[in-house]
Amino acid sequence: MNQPDSAAPLVHDSTQPLLDIQDLHVRFNTPEGEVHAVNGMNFSIAPGEVMAIVGESGSGKTQTALAIMGLLAENGRASGRVVYQGSNLLEMDRRQLNSIRGSDIAMIFQDPGASLNPYLTIGRQMTEVLVRHRRMSQSEANARACEMLHQVRLTDAEDRMRQYPYELSGGMQQRIMIAMGLLCRPRLLIADEPTTALDVTVQADINQLMMDLRRQYDTAILLITHDLGVVAGLADTVTVVYAGQMMEYAPVRDLYYRPCHPYSRGLVRSVPRLDQRADQVLRAIPGNPPNLLDMPSGCPFRDRCEFAFSDCTAYPLMRHSRANSLVRCHLDSLPE
Ligand SMILES: Nc1ncnc2c1ncn2[C@@H]1O[C@H](COP(=O)(O)OP(=O)(O)OP(=O)(O)O)[C@@H](O)[C@H]1O
Ligand code: SF4
Ligand SMILES: [Mg+2]
């Protein structure tokens, strides 16, 4: 569960969080100045929970994930705390982080083609992690990799193991990324736009696959997407981010049917629905996000908000909107 800015942390029902992010900031040094990409994220994920992070392009979703994994670009710096089972990942050295990455926490990226090594066969890439992280023999690792390829519903698994990435379609490559991500039975899978590069029917199939695997292994998933439509059937909870800040956190149904933040409502209303007539125009949110090199004071959404009023020149703290929901907005309730 996410935490309000000013109160004691909330804990998921009776369960201890698996991952607890506290006041996470990511800054990049650039010739133009310091880019404030992530600005004080606070959230936690319980074992087996699927939490989606939703926001427009450039809102800091990927950099949040990369900061958790210790994979920021050279010019990036993360501060705050990323607590995994009692230890702050931001304070770990490379060796400690490597043993957690790929083993306890795995990440799958938007573009499988860029994440797979073009010079190694699928089998070699899949088994390497098992031999290294799980100390399996090569034949044990081959058997596990083959089994995992079956699980992600790839046919001819033995043949696939001998193939190179370029011999496979985008959908097959993404299945392989998921299989690789789940090989070590991680407790947390971070999936960054896992289906964006794929066509719609393959997308639905891959999403279903992730949910089946989640049920089977009880893996928690941090699902990153700019498409609120995708999370409807997948996530338990949703965090809406804007300019690297959390705007709202809520169980998925509440966010869809009773959003409390003007930005969340704009996102919800821009999702195409099956019952929508073709002549109903989607409401995109007019305007652009703030310049991350020069963040404005007050509410970051102010320039685009149709309800902005005098209080909005002060920065809104995250507060409870309902028992299990949080919002960063000065409005007591969202006008119709
Ligand atoms: N190495 C870098 N140097 C400077 N700025 C960077 C760097 N990497 C990312 N950024 C900036 O950080 C901000 C957040 O980027 P991020 O990749 O997290 O966006 P995102 O929400 O994942 O967007 P998308 O939906 O397009 O993937 C962007 O403004 C981006 O330009
Ligand atoms: S704080 Fe003000 S500007 Fe920001 S979202 Fe709420 S009403 Fe709009
Ligand atoms: Mg991204």
Side-chain angles (χ1 to χ4, degrees):
M1 154 71 91
N2 289 326
Q3 300 155 14
D5 288 336
S6 54
L10 299 166
V11 176
H12 293 263
D13 302 323
S14 58
T15 334
Q16 282 300 318
L18 181 64
L19 182 78
D20 192 19
I21 308 280
Q22 300 164 10
D23 200 26
L24 179 67
H25 291 257
V26 174
R27 303 268 183 274
F28 290 102
N29 279 320
T30 71
E32 289 75 38
E34 201 174 48
V35 174
H36 293 228
V38 178
N39 300 296
M41 296 277 250
N42 283 290
F43 62 83
S44 51
I45 302 176
E49 177 180 353
V50 178
M51 190 185 96
I53 297 189
V54 185
E56 288 169 305
S57 187
S59 55
K61 305 181 298 295
T62 295
Q63 302 315 316
T64 299
L66 294 177
I68 295 170
M69 297 294 283
L71 293 173
L72 287 174
E74 282 281 296
N75 62 333
R77 185 167 37 85
S79 61
R81 285 166 61 79
V82 174
V83 180
Y84 177 74
Q85 300 205 309
S87 304
N88 183 3
L89 300 187
L90 298 186
E91 287 173 350
M92 285 188 180
D93 62 29
R94 188 180 289 268
R95 191 186 53 80
Q96 290 170 308
L97 259 184
N98 274 341
S99 80
I100 285 185
R101 279 200 297 252
S103 165
D104 283 45
I105 307 180
M107 181 161 173
I108 51 179
F109 297 88
Q110 180 169 345
D111 181 1
S115 321
L116 291 167
N117 185 331
Y119 303 110
L120 298 179
T121 61
I122 300 303
R124 175 79 193 282
Q125 299 187 51
M126 290 186 77
T127 54
E128 209 167 37
V129 65
L130 291 173
V131 172
R132 187 148 23 106
H133 286 295
R134 286 285 189 260
R135 310 238 176 281
M136 284 187 183
S137 69
Q138 190 61 47
S139 62
E140 281 172 326
N142 284 345
R144 165 75 75 85
C146 255
E147 179 199 320
M148 212 60 225
L149 290 179
H150 284 298
Q151 296 252 346
V152 297
R153 300 196 280 271
L154 266 180
T155 51
D156 307 320
E158 286 79 5
D159 293 342
R160 304 287 174 225
M161 298 268 287
R162 285 188 287 274
Q163 288 181 306
Y164 288 87
Y166 74 88
E167 298 178 83
L168 304 167
S169 70
M172 285 180 184
Q173 290 182 2
Q174 196 55 294
R175 280 169 206 269
I176 285 164
M177 287 302 299
I178 294 174
M180 283 173 74
L182 293 170
L183 263 179
C184 290
R185 312 253 157 94
R187 301 194 63 203
L188 174 67
L189 179 69
I190 302 179
D192 187 4
E193 309 266 8
T195 59
T196 307
L198 307 174
D199 72 47
V200 177
T201 48
V202 184
Q203 277 183 12
D205 209 23
I206 299 270
N207 287 335
Q208 184 57 48
L209 171 68
M210 281 200 299
M211 291 309 108
D212 292 349
L213 294 168
R214 172 237 185 158
R215 259 191 295 279
Q216 191 171 348
Y217 299 118
D218 199 32
T219 309
I221 301 178
L222 179 60
L223 177 68
I224 294 175
T225 176
H226 61 265
D227 182 352
L228 204 46
V230 168
V231 304
L234 304 185
D236 302 310
T237 51
V238 184
T239 291
V240 176
V241 294
Y242 184 75
Q245 294 152 74
M246 298 170 59
M247 294 292 124
E248 185 162 4
Y249 164 87
V252 69
R253 287 185 67 82
D254 285 345
L255 195 98
Y256 270 84
Y257 295 112
R258 297 184 297 161
C260 291
H261 195 283
Y263 178 61
S264 314
R265 187 159 82 182
L267 289 182
V268 170
R269 287 185 170 174
S270 67
V271 176
R273 292 194 324 259
L274 288 176
D275 60 351
Q276 207 162 31
R277 293 197 319 270
D279 59 345
Q280 283 179 315
V281 186
L282 293 182
R283 300 173 199 228
I285 307 166
N288 294 307
N291 180 357
L292 299 179
L293 283 162
D294 184 17
M295 289 287 282
S297 60
C299 173
F301 190 57
R302 202 163 80 233
D303 287 350
R304 299 170 76 183
C305 181
E306 58 180 306
F307 306 112
F309 63 114
S310 55
D311 286 8
C312 307
T313 52
Y315 188 69
L317 289 178
M318 205 73 167
R319 61 175 175 79
H320 284 280
S321 43
R322 298 186 196 97
N324 290 320
S325 307
L326 298 167
V327 68
R328 187 185 296 289
C329 177
H330 290 302
L331 289 172
D332 290 333
S333 62
L334 193 51
E336 280 308 312

